[in-house]
Amino acid sequence: MGRFVRCLGWLALVLSAMVMPLSREARIYASDRGEIEFRVGSSTSTTVAGARVIVINHEGKIVSTGLTDTQGLFMAHVPMYKAKWNERYDAKGVVNAIVVADGYNEQAVFVIPITEHTIQPVILQPIQPNARNARACPWATSVLTISPATSTGMRLNST
């Protein structure tokens, strides 16, 4: 379980580094919320119930999270934002998502457009016992943590 948590932390760090930084011109309209319908399935089933969906905005903040229902659906309501690059498009902003479920490899989904109703399919791959993917993030050998002494300094913990 500890390796899974470290893997999820590492993936969140990578996601936040890859998110395109936006200028101060981005304006958020609190009353305008987009709807993203996540349809989670797998290579062996059309639905994955109980999958955790974590939606992350352009600033790296979690804006929605929840579990898929028995049909593999999760509805995320996220704030739209208007920036210079998206003024003439139907999509008013983008988000990223991480989807995890017991028995499946995690899946990151990048650049999901925020519209009045976006449908975002996600395909999870089952973990294969005794295969390379059965190990939690074999490439993640270090974890970056905030030092409790200073709350601003960072310390690299090796595993």
Side-chain angles (χ1 to χ4, degrees), residues 53-134:
V53 179
I54 305 164
V55 184
I56 304 165
N57 72 3
H58 62 282
E59 297 173 334
K61 296 179 182 171
I62 295 175
V63 292
S64 182
T65 185
L67 300 173
T68 57
D69 61 15
T70 55
Q71 284 80 35
L73 301 176
F74 171 69
M75 301 296 282
H77 299 279
V78 298
M80 294 184 178
Y81 63 92
K82 193 173 185 179
K84 207 172 206 178
W85 67 268
N86 70 6
E87 285 178 342
R88 59 185 180 152
Y89 298 109
D90 289 337
K92 295 301 179 207
V94 295
V95 292
N96 298 312
I98 301 170
V99 182
V100 294
D102 287 340
Y104 297 92
N105 288 306
E106 68 278 351
Q107 179 68 45
V109 185
F110 299 100
V111 191
I112 303 166
I114 303 170
T115 63
E116 288 184 19
H117 185 77
T118 300
I119 296 175
Q120 179 62 53
V122 179
I123 306 297
L124 299 177
Q125 297 301 321
I127 292 176
Q128 300 293 325
N130 301 318
R132 181 180 176 132
N133 64 4

Side-chain angles (χ1 to χ4, degrees), residues 33-46:
R33 296 186 71 78
E35 182 178 77
I36 303 171
E37 179 181 341
F38 288 90
R39 296 180 181 180
V40 181
S42 76
S43 59
T44 58
S45 173
T46 56

Side-chain angles (χ1 to χ4, degrees), residues 140-154:
T141 58
S142 299
V143 177
L144 189 64
T145 58
I146 302 296
S147 171
T150 64
S151 76
T152 57
M154 291 189 228

